[in-house]
Amino acid sequence: MGWRNALEEARNWKPVFVAIYGSLVIGILVSSFYVFSAIYSPNSSPFLSSFSSLSHEAANHSEPTKTTVNTVKTVGTPMPMPEKPTLGGVGVRPIWEAPSRTKKMPPLKSFRLTKELVQQRVKDNVVIVTFGNYAFMDFILTWVKHLTDLNLSNILVGAMDTKLLEALYWKGIPVFDMGSHMSTIDVGWGSPTFHKMGREKVILIDAILPYGFELLMCDTDMVWLKNPLPYLARYPGADVLTSSDSVVPTVSDDSLDNWQQVGAAYNIGIFHWRPTDSAKKLAKEWKEILLADDKIWDQNGFNDLVRRQLGPSVDKESGLVYSYDGNLKLGILPASIFCSGHTYFVQAMYQQLRLEPYAVHTTFQYAGTDGKRHRLREGMFFFDPPEYYDAPGGFLSFKPSIPKSLLLEGQHSIESHFALVNYQMRQIRTALAIASVLNRTLVMPPLWCRLDRLWFSHPGVLEGSMTRQPFICPLDHVFEVNMMLKELPEEYGPGINIREYSFFDNPLMPQQVKDSWLEVHLCEEGAEDCHASNDTSRPGVLRFPKHSNEETLKTIFSSFKDVKVIQFSSMHAFMGFTDKTREEKFRRRMKRYVGIWCCVMDHTPGHIYYDMYWDEKPDWKPIPPQKPEDDHPPL
């Protein structure tokens, strides 16, 4: 008799029997549940156990650096989970959760930009977007990593070439195809292709705003240090919030900059758009003027439009200003906490004002893409692979020594600036020579400057800025970082790898490198216990004669080739190369390593060349070229 009939009969029986039959039926149901559970348990069923094992094995064949997908942590064997629903090529899986390598990549058309694709990533109606080509892959991964470390997942990356799109897809980064068919190499600032990239940005903004989402658009050469969304939400009336190139603080707190005091360009590397009619109108006209004239730089076009009408203030409190057509409400993000390369790396404005920075954009630097990357490394913001922190051959460093008089005394002038920099440059030249002899990577020391470097005439430090003198200046203020990292022809001798001055302070530094350290204390030859020997005076410490030659360095330190870091107490260790051909090649290389100081006021040309071998020229002085034929790097 079925359980339905049993219940029907029970209605006609005496009440006492109803309880008995009810208990019996419930017992049958519970027993059935346990029987079916036992039958279909993965621990009991050979079929399901095999399926679970195969799924787990397939997941383990993914790239070793990726997070295993389609599994959850449970007690015992991981259970296979159904694939998360996807829409198009991007999908809604968590960022960094890579797709299974057992599957094919979706077709390119599924990565097209659509409202539905953007909707997958939007949170609180906001999407954070950057874009680039394959040459900026490491910048993009760094950009994404900073945002995910801030628990932000409403991220999208536009790929300008298929190589980048595929690479990001397999790393679990939400990506869409911009259809740009861009070159995969670094195009260089100011090139025609660079300007094409700028137009792609404007086209992208114009395409996304009609979807109805707020858009935080970013360049790839910037990083987020603090969640900006609560800050942006403080200004719900703003149509556009933009960063700027201002180097002078207009406020001392975290409020918007005073629009009446910001004379510098508005920088389109960081800006936030709301999908208002005014913002959409601005984006459309901006796109149209750029597509009509390929000679207009995208940032200049933006500035021309929004400054077409500027003022009055929207109200007394917000800091917003009417701009563009008189209806668009614009806000200028404070340069102290939405930092440029100057307000962060030179002025440390946020630090002096006791504020927390939200972002760092690598503007105001002088060595192209390599310089941007090095700036982020100096700030310990760049995410390099593990091998960057454990280079073959090990590392070399030294403790720089700077007399107080050069650093702190006297007026800050061109002469005192060059005296300070030249003194350090000579030590760095010797360190580069030793690194070359020992085939080690040189960890650069912090570089002190008295004067700022800019592209235009200035009095040494910009009036109104918060630049302190002296200050630790970025390496690209003095050295041609791009040239130091470039592979040069054989006539320049073997390459010399470098690392940033903050290298050993980076939390990503592995412990095995920190623990493998040799201190080299230089001593006067002939003094007690000072001779060329590989015997350490105590564990981790070696006394070594000053002014040793190339062969002595090679012989002694060959015994320490397994030591990760060799640190010299000073740079009086090397008297020169024994091989004169190698020395000549090294000299050629060094002459390519230094740049210029710019710019002298009231003089054309307004730059002065740094000279790595200034100390060999008794009549050397820090003056700009006096004749056109003298305007060349030092010979």
Side-chain angles (χ1 to χ4, degrees), residues 122 182 210 435 558 630:
V122 167
M182 183 84 171
S558 63
D630 295 330

Side-chain angles (χ1 to χ4, degrees), residues 132-363:
N133 67 345
Y134 188 78
F136 284 83
M137 172 81 166
D138 52 353
F139 282 91
I140 291 169
L141 294 178
T142 293
W143 183 85
V144 173
K145 181 69 164 62
H146 277 276
L147 285 168
T148 54
D149 282 354
L150 294 168
N151 294 318
L152 291 170
S153 59
N154 46 332
I155 300 167
L156 265 177
V157 178
M160 303 187 78
D161 61 77
T162 306
K163 187 176 181 181
L164 175 66
L165 188 145
E166 292 177 353
L168 293 178
Y169 171 79
W170 289 115
K171 286 186 177 294
I173 307 297
V175 60
F176 65 92
D177 179 22
M178 293 183 66
S180 307
H181 307 293
M182 183 84 171
S183 167
T184 59
I185 63 173
D186 185 4
V187 298
W189 191 93
S191 67
T193 311
F194 173 85
H195 289 299
K196 180 180 183 296
M197 289 181 71
R199 280 153 175 74
E200 295 284 350
K201 176 193 292 185
V202 184
I203 294 170
L204 186 56
I205 294 169
D206 182 60
I208 292 178
L209 286 180
Y211 296 158
F213 308 125
E214 294 182 32
L215 171 64
L216 178 53
M217 176 62 72
C218 319
D219 284 353
T220 57
D221 62 340
M222 60 79 59
V223 294
W224 291 103
L225 307 180
K226 186 177 179 180
N227 182 355
L229 301 186
Y231 184 95
L232 302 175
R234 284 164 51 180
Y235 303 97
D239 298 303
V240 177
L241 294 166
T242 181
S243 58
S244 80
D245 287 335
S246 179
V247 296
V248 178
T250 68
V251 293
S252 58
D253 56 15
D254 67 348
S255 58
L256 293 177
D257 263 337
N258 187 329
W259 66 269
Q260 293 161 316
Q261 297 178 31
V262 176
Y266 304 145
N267 191 290
I268 61 173
I270 306 172
F271 58 168
H272 176 256
W273 295 68
R274 285 195 171 87
T276 61
D277 290 341
S278 291
K280 287 186 276 190
K281 179 183 175 184
L282 170 62
K284 187 174 187 299
E285 185 174 356
W286 186 19
K287 181 185 77 171
E288 287 172 351
I289 66 169
L290 292 181
L291 294 180
D293 187 350
D294 60 7
K295 295 182 176 61
I296 299 176
W297 181 26
D298 56 344
Q299 182 163 289
N300 287 348
F302 177 80
N303 276 264
D304 289 344
L305 284 173
V306 295
R307 292 175 187 269
R308 181 186 292 168
Q309 177 180 330
L310 197 61
S313 296
V314 173
D315 52 51
K316 293 182 179 180
E317 295 81 26
S318 68
L320 299 176
V321 58
Y322 287 111
S323 64
Y324 174 49
D325 59 356
N327 295 312
L328 184 125
K329 295 184 284 294
L330 177 74
I332 305 168
L333 298 169
S336 57
I337 50 180
F338 291 84
C339 308
S340 68
H342 198 281
T343 60
Y344 189 92
F345 292 104
V346 177
Q347 296 186 54
M349 189 187 290
Y350 75 95
Q351 196 176 67
Q352 298 191 68
L353 294 175
R354 301 293 189 267
L355 299 172
E356 291 185 57
Y358 280 87
V360 180
H361 190 189
T362 55
T363 54

Side-chain angles (χ1 to χ4, degrees), residues 562-574:
D562 294 329
V563 174
K564 301 290 187 182
V565 183
I566 296 177
Q567 178 169 269
F568 283 79
S569 60
S570 75
M571 272 295 106
H572 299 293
F574 187 53

Side-chain angles (χ1 to χ4, degrees), residues 511-548:
Q511 192 62 42
Q512 68 264 25
V513 174
K514 295 180 181 179
D515 293 341
S516 182
W517 199 284
L518 177 68
E519 293 278 354
V520 180
H521 294 177
L522 297 184
C523 53
E524 295 291 344
E525 190 169 12
E528 185 178 358
D529 295 329
C530 185
H531 53 274
S533 169
N534 56 15
D535 293 331
T536 55
S537 56
R538 62 180 186 271
V541 178
L542 176 71
R543 287 173 60 79
F544 186 74
K546 293 181 180 179
H547 310 299
S548 295

Side-chain angles (χ1 to χ4, degrees), residues 537-561:
S537 56
R538 62 180 186 271
V541 178
L542 176 71
R543 287 173 60 79
F544 186 74
K546 293 181 180 179
H547 310 299
S548 295
N549 60 29
E550 178 183 356
E551 294 306 319
T552 302
L553 279 167
K554 285 181 178 178
T555 301
I556 299 303
F557 289 101
S558 63
S559 301
F560 301 101
K561 63 182 179 180

Side-chain angles (χ1 to χ4, degrees), residues 402-412 420 448 450 469-470:
I402 306 173
K404 177 186 173 184
S405 59
L406 289 177
L407 195 61
L408 300 173
E409 295 177 5
Q411 295 294 316
H412 295 293
L420 172 61
W448 287 90
R450 281 181 176 249
Q469 294 174 276

Side-chain angles (χ1 to χ4, degrees), residues 375-552:
R375 285 277 188 102
L376 292 175
R377 286 169 171 163
E378 286 182 334
M380 295 185 287
F381 301 138
F382 205 75
F383 289 100
D384 282 294
E387 54 267 26
Y388 181 81
Y389 300 95
D390 193 3
F395 302 101
L396 177 81
S397 69
F398 71 97
K399 297 177 181 177
S401 172
I402 306 173
K404 177 186 173 184
S405 59
L406 289 177
L407 195 61
L408 300 173
E409 295 177 5
Q411 295 294 316
H412 295 293
S413 64
I414 291 175
E415 290 75 17
S416 63
H417 168 76
F418 270 85
L420 172 61
V421 172
N422 283 351
Y423 189 88
Q424 298 171 87
M425 203 157 53
R426 183 168 61 178
Q427 295 179 61
I428 292 170
R429 183 185 75 200
T430 302
L432 287 164
I434 295 175
S436 179
V437 169
L438 300 182
N439 195 28
R440 285 180 172 265
T441 296
L442 176 63
V443 178
M444 299 294 287
L447 187 64
W448 287 90
C449 292
R450 281 181 176 249
L451 301 182
D452 197 359
R453 176 182 178 179
L454 293 156
W455 297 276
F456 49 87
S457 298
H458 62 98
V461 166
L462 289 173
E463 186 177 352
S465 71
M466 299 183 72
T467 304
R468 295 169 288 191
Q469 294 174 276
F471 62 97
I472 294 178
C473 52
L475 189 65
D476 58 79
H477 269 46
V478 174
F479 287 86
E480 297 287 276
V481 176
N482 51 332
M483 194 59 63
M484 299 177 84
L485 299 175
K486 184 178 180 180
E487 187 172 337
L488 296 175
E490 194 276 334
E491 63 188 279
Y492 294 95
I496 309 166
N497 291 324
I498 63 167
R499 294 291 187 267
E500 62 280 4
Y501 73 84
S502 56
F503 183 67
F504 293 125
D505 296 324
N506 198 307
L508 297 176
M509 174 63 59
Q511 192 62 42
Q512 68 264 25
V513 174
K514 295 180 181 179
D515 293 341
S516 182
W517 199 284
L518 177 68
E519 293 278 354
V520 180
H521 294 177
L522 297 184
C523 53
E524 295 291 344
E525 190 169 12
E528 185 178 358
D529 295 329
C530 185
H531 53 274
S533 169
N534 56 15
D535 293 331
T536 55
S537 56
R538 62 180 186 271
V541 178
L542 176 71
R543 287 173 60 79
F544 186 74
K546 293 181 180 179
H547 310 299
S548 295
N549 60 29
E550 178 183 356
E551 294 306 319
T552 302

